[in-house]
Amino acid sequence: MEKKLLGKEHGLLPNPRLFFFAIVLALVFVDPFHIGPLGGIDYRPVKNDIAPYKQVMATWPRDNQSRLRNGKLEFVGEVFGPESIEFDSEGRGPYTGLADGRVLRWMGENVGWETFAVVNPDWSHEICANGVESTMPKQYPKESWCGRPLGLRFDKRTGDLYIADAYYGLMVVGPNGGVAKSLTNLVEGTPILFANDLDIHSNGSVFFTDTSTRYDRRNHFYTLMEGESTGRLLRYDPQSKSTNVVVNGLAFANGVQISKDQSFLLFTETTNCRIMRYWLEGPKTGQLELYSSLPGFPDNVRINKDGKFWVAIDCCRTPVQEFLSHNPWMRNIYFRLPLKLKFLGKMIGMKMYTVIALFDEEGNPIEVLEDRRGEVMKLVSEVREVDGKLWIGTVAHNHIATLAYP
């Protein structure tokens, strides 16, 4: 009886419900057991500039036949996270970068795949080559040492292969392969934390993206969750061997593609679900403008022989995701809940499927192919159109998909 009176007298339990709520609130923000996705992360969500989904879909073509289901999965269990796909000037290939740090080249049915290049001279098969497990989280602690080649581009004049490696920066290897040489991993005194994709101008300049200055590839999902805009479009000048910032303040800077006439380049902002155009020549030189808003999250962009642009998209945004993107205070609460990220994603209706879209020079989608149920293709990263066939990469799975086109 004395204890109860003492509790009331000193106000220790003035309202049990408020006390319980305070404990739950403390657990949400402290998450002492690191159950939630933000354990130990300095999470600073910001508002994102995303076009309304309904507005985008009002003019967006749909593929009611889900034609990507007709695609074929090739090299299953032979390539691990083939993000980017390239062919050399002699038509050999595909070449692709793997999650284990290698760049492979396909040498035909009789030979199969061969290791064409590595980004670390001390690369070890024993440490880095973990097969299908290379695309699993257990590979993450090794990535920064083994390397993670993402964007690939051949310089058609020299035969050199340029590589955007997530950890080692911009690199190049000669026509015969071997150990890639570092060109730059710094810009204006700051490290290039997450080199992602690149393209080569006819004057030799290399334009490439640095996705974030806060999070590396291993922690890339925090860039999306936070919505932070520290990404950059960079330019490497081979004559002066210098690197400069072309555009900064980007939300998950990703794929890069220069136009056929070299007058502009496109790059994707994954978090903001859009493609931007940066003018390289003409009266708009140096200007940045919106090229196209998208229903989902874009990765790489690649040009075809007609000067049109293929974009790989993970689709689609949900109303809840859109609400969270415009309300960082709510995101700050939601992603601090002591629940697994997979469960939090399901709660907001996050069920992604694959879309690839072809755009004209004005940013209009003229062809859309989908696999709405994810029956064949999931988490695509790049589309290359070569000799009547689409070659489709994926950063997360262990195959390359192909589809006859048109």
Side-chain angles (χ1 to χ4, degrees):
M1 186 70 177
E2 288 182 4
K3 289 182 179 178
K4 289 183 180 179
L5 290 173
L6 183 64
K8 288 184 178 180
E9 180 182 348
H10 289 271
L12 295 179
L13 291 173
N15 189 320
R17 291 180 180 177
L18 284 177
F19 179 75
F20 177 75
F21 179 74
I23 292 296
V24 171
L25 199 63
L27 286 173
V28 166
F29 281 95
V30 176
D31 190 14
F33 304 109
H34 291 181
I35 298 172
L38 299 177
I41 298 298
D42 177 23
Y43 184 58
R44 292 178 266 169
V46 298
K47 184 176 180 179
N48 294 115
D49 182 18
I50 301 179
Y53 180 73
K54 289 184 179 180
Q55 175 184 314
V56 174
M57 293 308 295
T59 58
W60 186 261
R62 299 303 302 268
D63 175 16
N64 294 320
Q65 297 178 337
S66 285
R67 286 174 288 171
L68 283 183
R69 292 181 306 165
N70 300 322
K72 177 183 178 182
L73 299 185
E74 303 196 38
F75 313 118
V76 177
E78 299 177 27
V79 291
F80 317 110
E83 157 95 0
S84 185
I85 296 168
E86 182 63 300
F87 295 83
D88 63 27
S89 58
E90 297 181 16
R92 291 176 300 187
Y95 295 71
T96 189
L98 303 190
D100 64 18
R102 292 179 294 165
V103 175
L104 298 190
R105 174 171 65 182
W106 175 248
M107 296 297 290
E109 293 291 343
N110 293 332
V111 177
W113 292 96
E114 70 171 13
T115 298
F116 179 75
V118 293
V119 296
N120 181 348
D122 297 318
W123 187 91
S124 164
H125 192 278
E126 181 180 353
I127 296 173
C128 302
N130 295 299
V132 295
E133 293 186 349
S134 299
T135 50
M136 303 293 183
K138 63 168 53 180
Q139 184 78 6
Y140 288 171
K142 305 173 184 179
E143 272 196 352
S144 60
W145 190 84
C146 298
R148 184 41 170 124
L150 296 175
L152 303 179
R153 297 281 191 168
F154 272 105
D155 184 334
K156 304 301 183 184
R157 301 166 303 166
T158 65
D160 292 339
L161 178 66
Y162 285 76
I163 304 166
D165 185 89
Y167 299 94
Y168 288 92
L170 183 64
M171 312 191 78
V172 66
V173 66
N176 297 319
V179 178
K181 178 181 70 173
S182 175
L183 294 175
T184 180
N185 57 14
L186 291 172
V187 55
E188 299 175 0
T190 64
I192 296 169
L193 192 62
F194 185 173
N196 198 321
D197 194 28
L198 75 150
D199 199 6
I200 306 169
H201 194 274
S202 58
N203 65 13
S205 296
V206 182
F207 290 87
F208 65 107
T209 48
D210 182 15
T211 293
S212 170
T213 60
R214 273 180 56 75
Y215 299 105
D216 60 11
R217 202 207 83 88
R218 176 180 175 180
N219 296 298
H220 73 276
F221 208 82
Y222 296 122
T223 299
L224 292 168
M225 290 169 59
E226 193 172 287
E228 57 93 3
S229 300
T230 63
R232 304 176 287 187
L233 175 67
L234 308 177
R235 173 181 174 269
Y236 173 76
D237 181 358
Q239 300 300 319
S240 64
K241 296 181 170 46
S242 62
T243 306
N244 67 285
V245 177
V246 179
V247 182
N248 57 21
L250 305 177
F252 207 114
N254 205 328
V256 184
Q257 177 64 60
I258 298 173
S259 65
K260 191 172 184 179
D261 66 1
Q262 309 276 290
S263 65
F264 65 87
L265 66 77
L266 303 179
F267 64 86
T268 59
E269 272 190 289
T270 301
T271 304
N272 283 341
C273 299
R274 66 189 184 185
I275 309 169
M276 302 299 290
R277 184 195 333 239
Y278 180 80
W279 287 95
L280 301 172
E281 298 177 1
K284 293 185 177 180
T285 298
Q287 293 185 26
L288 182 67
E289 64 186 23
L290 176 67
Y291 173 80
S292 185
S293 293
L294 306 173
F297 304 90
D299 202 326
N300 285 352
V301 51
R302 291 295 185 265
I303 199 168
N304 68 9
K305 62 181 177 60
D306 299 319
K308 298 179 176 65
F309 304 95
W310 284 106
V311 181
I313 306 169
D314 288 318
C315 205
C316 286
R317 298 184 263 142
T318 68
V320 179
Q321 283 175 289
E322 192 164 308
F323 173 78
L324 290 175
S325 70
H326 291 294
N327 295 277
W329 64 272
M330 183 61 76
R331 232 183 309 155
N332 198 22
I333 295 173
Y334 185 75
F335 286 113
R336 290 185 189 277
L337 292 173
L339 300 170
K340 294 293 186 183
L341 182 58
K342 187 176 182 180
F343 182 74
L344 291 173
K346 286 183 178 180
M347 287 175 62
I348 61 176
M350 188 184 294
K351 187 178 181 182
M352 310 303 289
Y353 65 89
T354 289
V355 172
I356 64 174
L358 183 65
F359 292 83
D360 64 20
E361 284 201 354
E362 300 308 314
N364 303 304
I366 55 178
E367 181 84 281
V368 171
L369 305 177
E370 303 178 355
D371 184 353
R372 294 188 190 177
R373 296 183 180 179
E375 296 175 50
V376 177
M377 301 187 196
K378 300 177 182 178
L379 289 174
V380 296
S381 55
E382 182 176 296
V383 184
R384 287 294 309 274
E385 183 181 343
V386 180
D387 297 332
K389 180 187 286 189
L390 300 181
W391 295 80
I392 303 170
T394 170
V395 73
H397 297 292
N398 304 311
H399 57 252
I400 293 174
T402 60
L403 178 69
Y405 183 87

